[in-house]
Amino acid sequence: MSSVTLSTVLRRRSDVRYRLIEGEAVVLRQSASEVLVLNEVGASVLDLADGERSVAEWIEALRGELEVDAETLARDVLTFAGELEDAGMLEVVAP
Amino acid sequence: MSFAAGFLRFPDLFPGRRGGEPWGDRSVVLDVAGGPYLFSGLSGVQDEAVRAKFAGLCREPDAGPAIATRVFRAPATDFLDFDVRGWEYTLDMDHSPTGVLLAGLRLMARLDWTPELTGGLWTPEAAGEEWTSVFENYLRVLAAYRLLEAGGVVIHSAGITDGASAFLLLGPSGAGKTTSSRLCLERGASVLSDDLNAVLLRESPHHPGPPLLVRLPFTGDLGERSGGPASYPLAAMLRLVKGTEDRLRPISPAAALAGLVAAAPFVSRDPWRRDALLATLERLARSVPAYELVFSLGGGLWDILQSIPR
Amino acid sequence: MSLSRVIATTWRENLLFSVLVELTYRCNLDCFFCYNDLALRGEPLSREQYFRLFADLREMEVMNLSLSGGEPLAHPDFLALGARARELGFVVRIKSNGHALRGELARRIRDEIDPFLIETSLHGSTAATHDRQTRVPGSFDRLLANLAEMRQLGLRVKINSTLTAWNEGEIEGMFALADALGIPLQVDPEVTPRDDGDREPLQVAPSREGVLRLFRLQFERGRAAAGETAEVARGGDDGTMPAPVHKHCGAGSSGIAVDPYGNVYPCVQWRRPVGNLHRQDIREIWLRSAGLAEARELTGRVKETMDAQGPGSHLLNFCPGSAATHTGSPLEIYPAAAQRRELLKQVIGEEARRPLLPVLR
């Protein structure tokens, strides 16, 4: 169960490779040879996970870019972040 | 130390075949004993440098047969850096039934019998003396192997001629090949080379004759790379000894053979071709008179050489 | 959302996704059936040109970058290029014969490049057979040792093999070797001519019996692996089966190959140059090359040709590049493909007739 909150700073794990294809992200986790395809929100989350900004900052950056209401956006981003962390794509950056 | 480990950063990447990126699309043929030798893949600068160094021996390629070598780029980073001051030039060689691998200073090369002899040369040297040195060091080995195939040998020696016949002066480094050559030169002889000469044994039993001393463009301090006749009948082989007088003493074919074996570079280290080399040297030792030549700095050795019956 | 649908999108929309770069034709082995055109001439791409290419590919959202050759490790800038590829986030595959992949070099590859996969080549289950192909004595023993070392270093490795007349009797041994090493083995049943059309490699093409033996073994292994489909993909295929699209494959539509002299091809097998990086950047070539446009159109026609073959056309495992090399036309069904279909049908028929359950008395 993910412990990601709005203040969590996450980054892509070093073995993650991804590209954006027509709004979706094709993601490979090399160490597990796993491939995921993420939708627009997931792709955006992955792109923003630079180890510098918090989840809250991601939501702020995405507001206005995606055609979704604020509450749904926040919930989806938080969920995705947690799922990507659980899937081993993202890791928490220690404060 | 395993093959090439003293010269290459990654010996495992030694070329396994004649492939890679050539320096350019220029080619040149060298008419040197055992040849002709065709070199392709040269840059314009490399081609001009070879033609300048071996002037008189180079020509344009034609459709005729030739021993073909392709020249490729190799990065400088492939080679270990080491201090060459005081270093005596050596080559690392790896022998197999079908080929020979060479690793040396800024040089990787392979000779393959596929079944005819072909060569590949990899170097980072683009120009200048560094390039022509690599080229010559490779050509020396190529010529040694090629001449063996052609019924000849390459010998560390001084080759002296009076214009009618020739003499082969043998001895290890410091024995006096250059000194004796200079003494003969002062007395009107011509020096073919004071470093490396070729001897070609005539093949046909129907035309017996002495073996030929053949000019090679590999000289030390003395000798012409080109010019003049290419070969002379070999009158005698002389094992040099420095002394205070000038004196000649016949030696047996066995003793001559021993001297020849010690003076035959490159191929003598090859277990797959050593027997062929020994057979050729033995034929040479039996067919040409051999002597021990004690010589002084007085210069009388040329008179002694002239007195040897032909 | 599936990968196969994404791949189909790249094919359909001509989105470059995978690039194979032949860095050099220098090699530390001398395989008899090597497909490289060693007589090819040109100006090698410089390090800066490769860096520019990689930067352009990154902007084009290319994901897969395979470093090949010859032997890519022999390229003077291999480590630097691999590191740059990693920096730019590519999924890097290295196609190496494995001969030099040990010690310091293997560690540096792991640490500086972190490739997704290293693909090496095995030519037999015995030194005699493997070394016969590579023509470098000791290469078999070296490869096995290096494979073990690579695994120990944590490198992900795969073995590619091509079935030949020389190794077709050792196929079970090769799979056993790979199993013992814990490394997947993919075997391609087809020997191809050289890229310049030289058919000498076909002298070691496998026999019908050899191909049948391979297919039967692959099916048997598939059954033993709890029902997974036997992998009969063509060499170089990453195994991804795309969702239906109007083209036969991604050659020139989602993938390209580049040779050491900057020539660009629709794929590594299809040696029809469609541009050169000394004259144009990859974006220009991708968007404006008439050769690529033609290749894309041809893969559509290949799809129609395959559809016209009826059910089972996928058993041909048809490659327009191979077809062009074998026959001169990317549309013509070449003998190896026809044989593959015939023999696969035979083996599939044998499989269908196998009793599913033991008879209970």
Side-chain angles (χ1 to χ4, degrees):
Chain A
M1 186 69 165
S2 175
S3 58
V4 171
T5 67
L6 289 171
S7 61
T8 307
V9 175
L10 293 151
R11 67 174 161 226
R12 293 178 295 277
R13 283 187 177 264
S14 64
D15 71 326
V16 167
R17 307 283 185 271
Y18 75 104
R19 289 292 189 256
L20 302 174
I21 308 290
E22 306 228 309
E24 292 176 322
V26 180
V27 191
L28 169 66
R29 193 171 138 227
Q30 292 198 156
S31 58
S33 298
E34 279 174 358
V35 177
L36 284 182
V37 178
L38 306 179
N39 66 11
E40 203 179 356
V41 175
S44 300
V45 163
L46 194 66
D47 221 23
L48 286 163
D50 55 9
E52 306 274 333
R53 292 174 281 187
S54 66
V55 175
E57 288 171 284
W58 300 353
I59 295 167
E60 196 54 44
L62 289 171
R63 214 188 298 278
E65 275 192 30
L66 300 172
E67 288 176 9
V68 64
D69 63 273
E71 193 181 322
T72 306
L73 177 64
R75 186 182 61 238
D76 284 354
V77 169
L78 204 51
T79 304
F80 257 121
E83 285 176 357
L84 290 178
E85 196 219 357
D86 287 341
M89 300 286 180
L90 301 181
E91 61 186 2
V92 175
V93 176
Chain B
M1 195 183 274
S2 57
F3 168 67
F7 290 106
L8 303 182
R9 185 157 280 120
F10 295 112
D12 290 347
L13 291 171
F14 190 93
R17 65 182 187 184
R18 290 199 316 157
E21 283 67 64
W23 278 97
D25 57 10
R26 299 276 284 266
S27 299
V28 62
V29 170
L30 272 75
D31 285 314
V32 171
Y37 300 97
L38 167 66
F39 289 84
S40 61
L42 307 178
S43 69
V45 169
Q46 290 171 326
D47 179 52
E48 281 158 26
V50 167
R51 289 172 191 261
K53 180 156 188 170
F54 297 98
L57 298 174
C58 296
R59 59 177 170 84
E60 291 302 311
D62 56 27
I67 312 302
T69 295
R70 291 172 63 188
V71 182
F72 301 100
R73 301 175 194 236
T77 48
D78 269 8
F79 299 88
L80 296 171
D81 295 317
F82 59 91
D83 191 353
V84 297
R85 289 173 300 182
W87 175 68
E88 192 177 316
Y89 190 90
T90 59
L91 273 174
D92 229 0
M93 297 175 75
D94 190 60
H95 308 99
S96 74
T98 56
V100 181
L101 309 181
L102 310 172
L105 187 63
R106 318 283 274 180
L107 171 165
M108 292 184 286
R110 54 182 307 126
L111 304 179
D112 295 293
W113 281 268
T114 59
E116 71 282 355
L117 177 57
T118 56
L121 171 63
W122 290 260
T123 180
E125 301 302 354
E129 179 68 25
E130 292 84 3
W131 154 242
T132 54
S133 291
V134 163
F135 181 89
E136 178 170 328
N137 287 321
Y138 167 76
L139 182 57
R140 286 172 176 241
V141 181
L142 176 63
Y145 275 94
R146 173 58 193 143
L147 278 159
L148 182 65
E149 277 190 335
V153 286
V154 165
I155 304 285
H156 267 308
S157 56
I160 313 292
T161 178
D162 59 6
S165 53
F167 305 94
L168 196 67
L169 308 183
L170 300 167
S173 185
K177 294 190 290 294
T178 301
T179 304
S180 57
S181 300
R182 191 166 279 122
L183 289 169
C184 292
L185 198 59
E186 287 166 2
R187 295 295 304 277
S190 293
V191 177
L192 292 165
S193 170
D194 63 335
D195 184 22
L196 216 57
N197 292 276
V199 177
L200 213 51
L201 280 72
R202 300 198 207 226
E203 288 305 303
S204 169
H206 302 295
H207 295 90
L212 296 175
L213 185 64
V214 185
R215 182 193 300 274
L216 285 176
F218 310 129
T219 62
D221 299 328
L222 301 172
E224 298 289 329
R225 292 184 185 280
S226 62
S231 61
Y232 299 88
L234 183 59
M237 299 183 291
L238 300 308
R239 186 174 69 195
L240 292 174
V241 177
K242 287 179 183 170
T244 53
E245 55 177 345
D246 300 302
R247 138 167 88 76
L248 202 64
R249 177 178 71 84
I251 59 176
S252 68
L257 178 60
L260 287 168
V261 170
F266 313 127
V267 186
S268 59
R269 293 151 57 183
D270 186 334
W272 302 99
R273 289 153 202 97
R274 191 182 295 135
D275 285 351
L277 174 69
L278 283 175
T280 303
L281 292 176
E282 192 181 343
R283 277 173 51 217
L284 177 58
R286 291 190 187 285
S287 57
V288 176
Y291 304 86
E292 179 184 86
L293 173 62
V294 179
F295 74 99
S296 72
L297 295 176
L301 82 154
W302 183 236
D303 294 328
I304 289 187
L305 290 177
Q306 295 281 74
S307 72
I308 293 173
R310 319 295 166 91
Chain C
M1 289 164 288
S2 69
L3 179 61
S4 65
R5 197 181 49 74
V6 172
I7 299 298
T9 300
T10 64
W11 290 15
R12 193 176 51 246
E13 305 299 326
N14 301 327
L15 302 174
L16 187 55
F17 194 65
S18 302
V19 177
L20 182 143
V21 182
E22 294 171 338
L23 292 177
T24 174
Y25 287 156
R26 182 173 142 187
C27 190
N28 48 358
L29 299 180
D30 186 23
C31 297
F32 172 78
F33 66 12
C34 181
Y35 56 82
N36 287 161
D37 178 3
L38 295 183
L40 197 63
R41 294 286 172 263
E43 182 63 31
L45 293 175
S46 68
R47 178 198 282 221
E48 290 64 40
Q49 285 176 304
Y50 278 119
F51 282 175
R52 207 153 48 237
L53 170 65
F54 290 0
D56 287 346
L57 294 177
R58 172 64 189 94
E59 283 207 29
M60 294 167 73
E61 295 287 341
V62 168
M63 186 161 192
N64 298 313
L65 188 62
S66 295
L67 304 178
S68 183
E71 172 52 50
L73 273 60
H75 188 279
D77 297 317
F78 170 74
L79 288 170
L81 295 177
R84 180 58 63 95
R86 177 197 188 172
E87 228 174 88
L88 293 171
F90 289 104
V91 174
V92 178
R93 290 174 176 80
I94 299 171
K95 292 179 180 281
S96 163
N97 57 43
H99 191 69
L101 263 166
R102 61 177 178 168
E104 182 200 345
L105 200 42
R107 279 191 299 279
R108 289 191 67 182
I109 287 169
R110 180 196 62 187
D111 296 340
E112 296 173 31
I113 301 177
D114 186 24
F116 169 54
L117 189 64
I118 297 176
E119 301 185 50
T120 62
S121 301
L122 179 70
H123 303 294
S125 67
T126 63
T129 303
H130 180 91
D131 291 0
R132 185 183 184 187
Q133 180 63 250
T134 66
R135 298 191 280 198
V136 172
S139 60
F140 177 76
D141 291 341
R142 171 74 67 79
L143 177 63
L144 294 189
N146 288 359
L147 286 171
E149 185 175 343
M150 283 188 259
R151 292 270 292 146
Q152 239 180 350
L153 286 172
L155 287 162
R156 285 169 292 276
V157 188
K158 176 189 172 195
I159 302 172
N160 291 326
S161 291
T162 302
L163 193 70
T164 69
W166 292 344
N167 66 19
E168 64 183 30
E170 295 184 8
I171 203 67
E172 292 86 357
M174 289 165 69
F175 274 103
L177 247 177
D179 290 344
L181 286 164
I183 297 176
L185 167 64
Q186 180 171 332
V187 183
D188 183 350
E190 184 185 331
V191 175
T192 58
R194 295 205 174 95
D195 288 342
D196 63 354
D198 181 3
R199 300 174 75 80
E200 190 187 34
L202 300 182
Q203 289 174 17
V204 298
S207 67
R208 285 175 60 91
E209 292 65 37
V211 177
L212 263 176
R213 187 169 167 172
L214 169 66
F215 289 162
R216 286 179 180 133
L217 181 60
Q218 286 173 326
F219 271 89
E220 185 185 315
R221 289 176 62 87
R223 268 187 274 114
E228 283 179 28
T229 318
E231 207 177 299
V232 293
R234 175 167 41 85
D237 194 335
D238 67 0
T240 306
M241 300 306 292
V245 74
H246 70 288
K247 292 172 183 166
H248 173 73
C249 65
S253 299
S254 78
I256 52 167
V258 181
D259 77 16
Y261 306 110
N263 296 307
V264 179
Y265 306 90
C267 84
V268 67
Q269 193 61 58
W270 201 344
R271 300 310 281 206
R272 183 230 154 118
V274 297
N276 187 284
L277 292 169
H278 287 297
R279 293 191 290 274
Q280 294 175 291
D281 66 39
I282 189 60
R283 260 188 249 255
E284 260 186 274
I285 293 172
W286 187 251
L287 292 173
R288 287 190 243 293
S289 160
L292 273 180
E294 191 182 336
R296 290 161 189 162
E297 191 261 338
L298 277 166
T299 56
R301 287 170 56 194
V302 170
K303 175 80 163 53
E304 289 165 9
T305 305
M306 291 300 107
D307 288 346
Q309 289 286 314
S313 66
H314 64 286
L315 300 178
L316 290 162
N317 216 40
F318 185 83
C319 168
S322 277
T325 308
H326 276 286
T327 71
S329 164
L331 296 167
E332 195 171 319
I333 293 174
Y334 45 100
Q339 181 187 75
R340 189 199 294 244
R341 175 174 55 182
E342 180 202 336
L343 297 181
L344 272 173
K345 277 185 174 172
Q346 179 178 333
V347 174
I348 289 168
E350 290 167 3
E351 287 289 307
R353 291 188 291 275
R354 279 176 54 83
L356 291 174
L357 293 168
V359 174
L360 297 174
R361 295 195 189 280

